[in-house]
Amino acid sequence: MGTAQTPTNPLFTPYKLGKFDLSHRIVLAPLTRVRSYHNVPQPHAILYYSQRTSKGGLLIAEATCISDTARGHPDTPGIWTKEQVEAWKPIVEAVHAKGGIFFCQIWHVGRVSSGRFQPNGQAPISSSDRSFTPQFRSDDIDVSQFTPPRKLRTDEIPNIVNDFRLAARNAIEAGFDGVEIHGAHGYLLEQFMKDEINDRTDKYGGSLENRCRFALEVVEAVSDEIGADRVGIRLSPFANYMESGDSNPEALGLYMAEALNKYGILYCHMVEPRMKTVGVAEDTHYSLVPMRKAFKGTFLVAGGYNREDGIKAVAENRADLVVYGRLFLANPDLPKRFELDAPLNKYNRETFYLSDPVIGYTDYPFLEASD
């Protein structure tokens, strides 16, 4: 019996995610692909998600709008109408048929929008009426003009919380295993959490506790609706997308990690401090380890990870699961490639946001095809 055992790759150790049995730790990131024409998921998404499914793998669907005021991009999917729910069903079924676990990321963009995406051309809503500099969004779509937002009245906020709740219910009706609340990257929930934007004087502004109140009300409502064991949240306290920085990001991240424990949600998905701006890794002294230690549920990390980084994150217990975006986009069989340490397809940024149903979407080769 003298043969040495090959050490197990930590990314390929099984993991119990609440009631879900994962066979590996590699997660598909929520990736906006702008191919859901008129906000309705399309049949070509069946192939896209099914290609990226492995038995016991976790997939997080692209950011999905909770209502008609939640939109800020062309052709992003929604989950507020019966038609959208029905359109998601065959996509979810295809993932389940291959043994995958599928969560829907529910999303409101807040001020990262313009009148052309809003009902009757109205102003987008936010924590504040501060507009911001036209720029490239986090997904590289060039936006030359944002419409100045309208500050939500205190009495309107429960309606938005309810939109998140209904979206979560619809996601479960569509067959999803759970939802991820989008609380990152400068969108609506972050517009309340971050002090660079939030200038309110009501119970949703001022102190850290007040700024986080809206996000936590959403967590509570969604958990009450579908069960906390089906709920995750994505946070990016250190990021500064769309002029949404915070003066004390570590305090914000820690406060949220600790506050989430009260609700017993399934997971917290945090973006690495090095990903402060779009797609560029920066050196930083900050770390997610304090949040990892504070949060009692499953901890997911994202942001510029490669195979080696992912192995180290799990081996060093800095994360339970590692979320991959661009690499998974370009390598539908990423778990298999990581297991074999096989070469990877290079991603083509030019085709990330085409509306073509095949090019840059379902035409990246599998390992056998690229040999």
Side-chain angles (χ1 to χ4, degrees), residues 5-78:
Q5 285 287 304
T6 311
T8 310
N9 179 335
L11 287 176
F12 291 91
T13 49
Y15 183 78
K16 188 119 183 87
L17 176 66
K19 62 175 91 167
F20 308 107
D21 292 313
L22 304 186
S23 63
H24 60 76
R25 313 293 185 101
I26 300 159
V27 180
L28 174 68
L31 298 165
T32 292
R33 305 307 313 273
V34 298
R35 287 161 168 91
S36 297
Y37 313 136
H38 309 295
N39 307 114
V40 178
Q42 297 295 306
H44 44 252
I46 297 171
L47 179 59
Y48 172 76
Y49 283 109
S50 147
Q51 283 180 332
R52 284 157 187 78
T53 304
S54 53
K55 187 170 167 43
L58 174 62
L59 290 77
I60 307 168
E62 62 207 273
T64 300
C65 302
I66 61 168
S67 68
D68 59 357
T69 69
R71 297 173 294 179
H73 304 55
D75 296 333
T76 48

Side-chain angles (χ1 to χ4, degrees), residues 94-114:
V95 169
H96 285 159
K98 290 179 74 174
I101 292 95
F102 204 10
F103 273 53
C104 181
Q105 191 190 62
I106 53 176
W107 181 44
H108 195 302
V109 300
R111 70 176 186 171
V112 188
S113 187
S114 69

